[in-house]
């Protein structure tokens, strides 16, 4: 390692250790319920603070899209009794990333422009997919909060903390049921089948996250499979579905949906890789939490898996999910000293670059340009 790199690593390590210190002092039981609950809340603050600022900086048209989708979701979820209604719409307050519906809508417009289609009925169907994507994402957050005993989400009291776990599960199920009916009402068996893959992937991803692998290559593949199932699947299949609606009577009946799927897949993987990178290097002010939340939750993400190649002793810590005193601090230090963070950034850039290649065949339009911008902005978060 060069002298300049050693100095930079020491400085980064010192800064990040200062961020981690208050957290490690907060409880003596790293793997206890209190620690897990606190860390889950801190991770949610991280995503909230990074996402909301980007939404607020968007042009008016993007803000309008968020308002329109939020309004439609509220309308769709209207129900009696009032308590169920309040719980169902609780997380749909316009403060999320809305990256999933935005990608779906932009892909739909880009495909329509490519095919030179202007059809309000088609656009309505495609918009339904965008709305469903946000509903499914938020439903998964409700259930995550119940499992994690979370106390907050997006800067407000969590639904389970406010109304209790049992009612929250039913509220999440209600949102899912309404969205599934919306999907059935599209009356397109191919799209219904495509979108249904998302739900099975989400469940599979949760089980994969709890899995362990002794072999290094198998462990990395499990991480990528889990990342696709938990994050990229929803984006990929939503993008594919809006394309499937558009190509109903087109010669591009297979190639355009496949292109849309691959773009969504690669964007989703790049997005999660940068999230995992940010968990180590973003400041406490940016994240709203100390660095290293994933380690505290026992998760070995890309920076850790890359670092393991330089520090074989990390393997034992990974297998026991950083459960013993001092494991988190040791792993954190090894990751920062290694090239794992740089390799994670480069890996994310690779997926973003592949996403750009995926849409090369689309005709030029303002919407294709926006797809490019969305791919580039995914990795710009680490600049």
């Amino acid at each position: 390692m060069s002298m300049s790199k050693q100095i930079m690593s020491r400085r980064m390590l010192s800064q990040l250790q200062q961020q981690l210190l208050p957290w490690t002092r907060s409880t003596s039981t790293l793997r206890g319920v209190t620690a897990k609950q606190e860390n889950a809340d801190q991770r949610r603050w991280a995503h909230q603070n990074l996402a909301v600022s980007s939404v607020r900086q968007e042009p008016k048209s993007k803000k309008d899209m968020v308002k329109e989708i939020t309004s439609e979701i509220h309308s769709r979820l209207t129900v009696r009794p009032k308590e169920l209604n309040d719980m169902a719409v609780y997380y749909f307050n316009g403060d999320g990333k809305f990256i999933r519906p935005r990608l779906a809508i932009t892909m739909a417009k880009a495909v329509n422009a490519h095919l030179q289609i202007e059809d309000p009925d088609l656009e309505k169907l495609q918009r339904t997919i965008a709305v469903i994507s946000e509903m499914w994402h938020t439903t998964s957050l409700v259930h995550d909060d119940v499992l994690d005993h979370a106390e907050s989400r997006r800067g407000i009291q969590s639904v389970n903390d406010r109304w209790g776990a049992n009612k929250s599960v039913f509220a999440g199920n209600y949102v899912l049921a309404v969205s599934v009916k919306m999907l059935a009402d599209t009356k397109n068996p191919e799209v219904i089948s495509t979108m249904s893959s998302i739900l099975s992937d989400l469940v599979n991803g949760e089980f994969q996250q709890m899995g362990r692998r002794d072999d290094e290559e198998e462990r990395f593949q499990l991480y990528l499979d889990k990342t696709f199932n938990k994050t990229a699947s929803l984006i990929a299949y939503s993008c594919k579905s809006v394309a499937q609606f558009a190509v109903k009577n087109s010669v591009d009946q297979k190639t355009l949906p496949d292109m849309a799927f691959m773009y969504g897949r690669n964007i989703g993987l790049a997005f999660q890789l940068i999230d995992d990178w940010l968990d180590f290097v973003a400041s406490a002010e940016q994240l709203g939490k100390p660095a290293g939340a994933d380690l505290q939750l026992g998760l070995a993400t890309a920076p850790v898996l890359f670092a393991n190649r330089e520090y074989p002793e990390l393997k034992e810590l990974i297998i026991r999910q950083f459960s013993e005193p001092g494991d988190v601090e040791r792993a954190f230090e090894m990751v920062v000293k290694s090239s794992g963070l740089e390799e994670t950034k480069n890996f994310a850039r690779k997926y973003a670059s592949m996403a750009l290649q995926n849409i090369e065949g689309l005709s030029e339009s303002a919407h294709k340009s926006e797809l490019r911008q969305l791919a580039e902005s995914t990795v710009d978060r680490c600049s």
Side-chain angles (χ1 to χ4, degrees):
M1 183 184 293
S2 68
M3 182 63 69
S4 60
K5 186 174 181 180
Q6 288 176 338
I7 293 171
M8 191 165 63
S9 294
R10 284 198 296 269
R11 285 176 180 169
M12 183 182 291
L13 178 59
S14 176
Q15 291 170 355
L16 296 179
Q17 283 174 329
Q18 289 302 312
Q19 295 170 20
L20 185 63
L21 188 58
W23 197 358
T24 56
R25 286 175 176 167
S26 65
T27 175
S28 59
T29 310
L30 289 176
R31 304 299 296 162
V33 173
T34 301
K36 285 183 178 180
Q37 181 173 317
E38 178 181 317
N39 298 335
D41 291 339
Q42 289 165 330
R43 182 163 181 78
R44 283 156 179 71
W45 270 104
H47 286 209
Q48 167 67 7
N49 290 350
L50 286 166
V52 174
S53 59
S54 65
V55 171
R56 288 173 181 161
Q57 292 166 7
E58 292 291 358
K60 185 176 183 295
S61 60
K62 307 304 182 297
K63 293 182 180 179
D64 289 343
M65 182 271 290
V66 170
K67 289 180 181 177
E68 289 168 5
I69 288 180
T70 301
S71 176
E72 181 170 350
I73 291 173
H74 278 242
S75 176
R76 295 274 193 173
L77 294 176
T78 300
V79 68
R80 291 185 179 181
K82 183 178 183 302
E83 184 179 37
L84 176 56
N85 186 89
D86 292 344
M87 294 177 70
V89 302
Y90 187 63
Y91 282 162
F92 296 104
N93 55 10
D95 279 348
K97 297 182 184 71
F98 280 79
I99 185 66
R100 294 156 187 83
R102 182 177 171 185
L103 281 164
I105 288 174
T106 306
M107 177 59 75
K109 290 179 177 179
V111 169
N112 294 350
H114 176 80
L115 296 172
Q116 299 182 328
I117 297 174
E118 291 186 16
D119 183 346
D121 291 335
L122 168 62
E123 291 169 10
K124 185 177 179 181
L125 287 170
Q126 292 170 324
R127 179 186 174 81
T128 296
I129 296 300
V131 173
I132 290 171
S133 72
E134 187 64 17
M135 294 174 77
W136 284 6
H137 169 61
T138 304
T139 298
S140 72
L141 301 184
V142 171
H143 290 156
D144 279 350
D145 286 352
V146 171
L147 291 172
D148 294 339
H149 307 282
E151 294 179 352
S152 67
R153 163 75 66 180
R154 294 175 176 169
I156 59 176
Q157 185 181 11
S158 67
V159 64
N160 52 289
D161 195 60
R162 181 167 174 177
W163 283 284
N166 291 341
K167 288 183 178 179
S168 296
V169 170
F170 287 121
N173 292 347
Y174 170 70
V175 175
L176 181 61
V178 171
S179 61
V180 168
K181 183 179 183 302
M182 291 168 59
L183 180 60
D185 287 343
T186 66
K187 297 180 172 59
N188 187 310
E190 189 176 17
V191 170
I192 292 169
S193 176
T194 295
M195 290 293 288
S196 297
S197 299
I198 297 168
L199 299 178
S200 60
D201 284 348
L202 280 170
V203 175
N204 191 20
E206 289 294 340
F207 274 82
Q208 287 172 324
Q209 184 162 285
M210 293 184 281
R212 302 182 188 182
R213 295 289 187 276
D214 289 336
D215 179 75
E216 179 183 322
E217 294 304 318
E218 288 182 4
R219 194 158 52 238
F220 206 98
Q221 188 58 52
L222 179 66
Y223 164 77
L224 289 176
D225 291 344
K226 180 268 299 182
T227 299
F228 172 79
N229 286 331
K230 289 197 64 177
T231 302
S233 171
L234 181 52
I235 298 172
Y237 285 117
S238 295
C239 286
K240 180 177 182 177
S241 294
V242 298
Q244 285 176 320
F245 278 130
V247 300
K248 192 172 182 181
N249 300 310
S250 166
V251 293
D252 296 313
Q253 201 158 4
K254 178 168 170 41
T255 56
L256 279 177
D258 287 349
M259 173 279 301
F261 173 86
M262 291 305 297
Y263 173 87
R265 168 191 178 271
N266 290 326
I267 286 289
L269 291 172
F271 188 89
Q272 188 57 53
L273 282 162
I274 295 302
D275 258 17
D276 294 342
W277 180 88
L278 284 167
D279 192 58
F280 281 90
V281 304
S283 70
E285 289 76 18
Q286 285 177 287
L287 286 173
K289 59 156 192 173
D294 289 326
L295 292 175
Q296 290 278 357
L297 293 170
L299 304 178
T301 55
V304 180
L305 298 177
F306 279 124
N308 184 210
R309 296 175 180 177
E310 295 175 48
Y311 292 91
E313 58 267 40
L314 262 173
K315 177 180 178 180
E316 185 179 345
L317 278 63
I318 292 170
I319 291 174
R320 66 176 181 241
Q321 298 179 311
F322 317 105
S323 59
E324 294 186 5
D327 280 0
V328 168
E329 293 85 348
R330 286 179 59 205
F332 191 88
E333 181 174 351
M334 284 185 273
V335 169
V336 172
K337 285 182 176 180
S338 75
S339 60
L341 294 171
E342 190 63 29
E343 289 186 77
T344 300
K345 278 197 299 184
N346 291 335
F347 206 36
R349 290 187 179 113
K350 171 188 169 186
Y351 280 110
S353 177
M354 287 194 292
L356 292 174
Q357 293 172 20
N358 294 141
I359 59 173
E360 281 182 354
L362 284 177
S363 302
E364 290 301 324
S365 67
H367 312 300
K368 179 180 177 179
S369 296
E370 187 173 352
L371 289 176
R372 286 198 196 99
Q373 184 272 326
L374 286 167
E376 291 163 356
S377 64
T378 297
V379 293
D380 282 347
R381 295 184 299 158
C382 67
S383 4

